[in-house]
Amino acid sequence: MNYFLPEMNILTRKIWFIRVVMGYVPLLAIALLSLGCEAIEKNLSPLPSIPIPNQSPQPLISPESVTTAQMEAEIRRGINQVRQKNGLQALKDNQKLAQVARKYSRQMAEQNFFSHTGADGSTPQERVLRDGIIYSAVGENLFTSENVPRPVPAAIEGWMKSPGHRENILRPVFTETGVGVWREGNTYYVTQLFLRPFP
């Protein structure tokens, strides 16, 4: 048997096609109801498993001092000014992310190291997930200074001169930030995390 479309204009063809397809919709619904969901589920591939981070509440770490709290705010403002000068949206302050950044700055200060890899071998991504923050993109900038009279401008200028750090600052995908500053003697440790939350 041959099937053909009679000569029609485009609108008439579309209407004809919709009528033919709609004629099969009730038949499809009856077939699905008679088979039941179990038969359909057997033919579906399993969903991928996604690890859910530990949702237990983490202890809050307050800014070390009024000075470090002011420095955190200054860094957020300074980075947002740089982004806006480059035609990008300002980053929203994420205090949960700031907790992760602050904890990491404190860890570096107390254990006297400076690296994107934690003393426990953790990565920035793992530290963020560990605190229950689910993301689609994350980045980290670090800075340390000793006996520098104005560490905030030094951090921002240093990051902007470093291609990798500059890229984090100017990435349009990031929408949120958290900054943590910790001081040990005359040395400041700064962690800035950048984030795009999971949808």
Side-chain angles (χ1 to χ4, degrees):
M1 182 180 293
N2 293 325
Y3 292 97
F4 66 94
L5 285 177
E7 195 160 320
M8 319 175 197
N9 66 31
I10 293 175
L11 179 62
T12 309
R13 282 185 187 174
K14 286 181 182 177
I15 293 170
W16 182 84
F17 179 77
I18 291 170
R19 284 183 180 162
V20 170
V21 170
M22 292 306 289
Y24 289 104
V25 169
L27 294 174
L28 182 60
I30 291 168
L32 288 174
L33 290 172
S34 64
L35 289 174
C37 293
E38 291 175 14
I40 295 169
E41 286 176 358
K42 288 179 185 176
N43 294 323
L44 294 175
S45 59
L47 294 173
S49 81
I50 299 172
I52 303 295
N54 180 5
Q55 294 292 333
S56 60
Q58 300 292 323
L60 292 179
I61 298 177
S62 299
E64 184 185 26
S65 66
V66 172
T67 302
T68 57
Q70 290 170 344
M71 290 172 68
E72 291 173 1
E74 284 177 50
I75 290 170
R76 282 191 309 273
R77 276 193 303 273
I79 293 301
N80 278 333
Q81 287 172 355
V82 169
R83 284 177 61 88
Q84 289 171 328
K85 284 179 187 172
N86 285 275
L88 299 170
Q89 291 290 321
L91 300 169
K92 295 178 193 164
D93 180 25
N94 180 326
Q95 277 302 302
K96 200 169 177 186
L97 198 60
Q99 285 290 309
V100 178
R102 199 173 290 131
K103 278 196 293 192
Y104 193 59
S105 290
R106 182 178 77 174
Q107 183 186 66
M108 288 190 294
E110 290 176 350
Q111 297 183 24
N112 195 28
F113 76 97
F114 182 72
S115 172
H116 289 287
T117 303
D120 59 356
S122 64
T123 65
Q125 294 82 1
E126 291 166 340
R127 291 188 290 274
V128 169
L129 278 174
R130 189 185 305 153
D131 275 32
I133 302 171
I134 299 177
Y135 60 86
S136 56
V138 69
E140 178 180 76
N141 283 357
L142 301 178
F143 177 80
T144 187
S145 66
E146 187 174 357
N147 295 322
V148 173
R150 296 182 60 227
V152 170
I156 295 170
E157 288 168 23
W159 288 335
M160 290 306 291
K161 290 178 182 173
S162 163
H165 295 100
R166 179 185 174 89
E167 184 180 337
N168 277 342
I169 292 168
L170 298 178
R171 265 194 163 159
V173 70
F174 292 135
T175 58
E176 298 179 9
T177 190
V179 179
V181 177
W182 208 263
R183 181 181 176 183
E184 189 71 31
N186 291 328
T187 304
Y188 286 96
Y189 293 84
V190 179
T191 303
Q192 181 170 25
L193 290 165
F194 302 87
L195 181 88
R196 180 178 194 89
F198 189 73

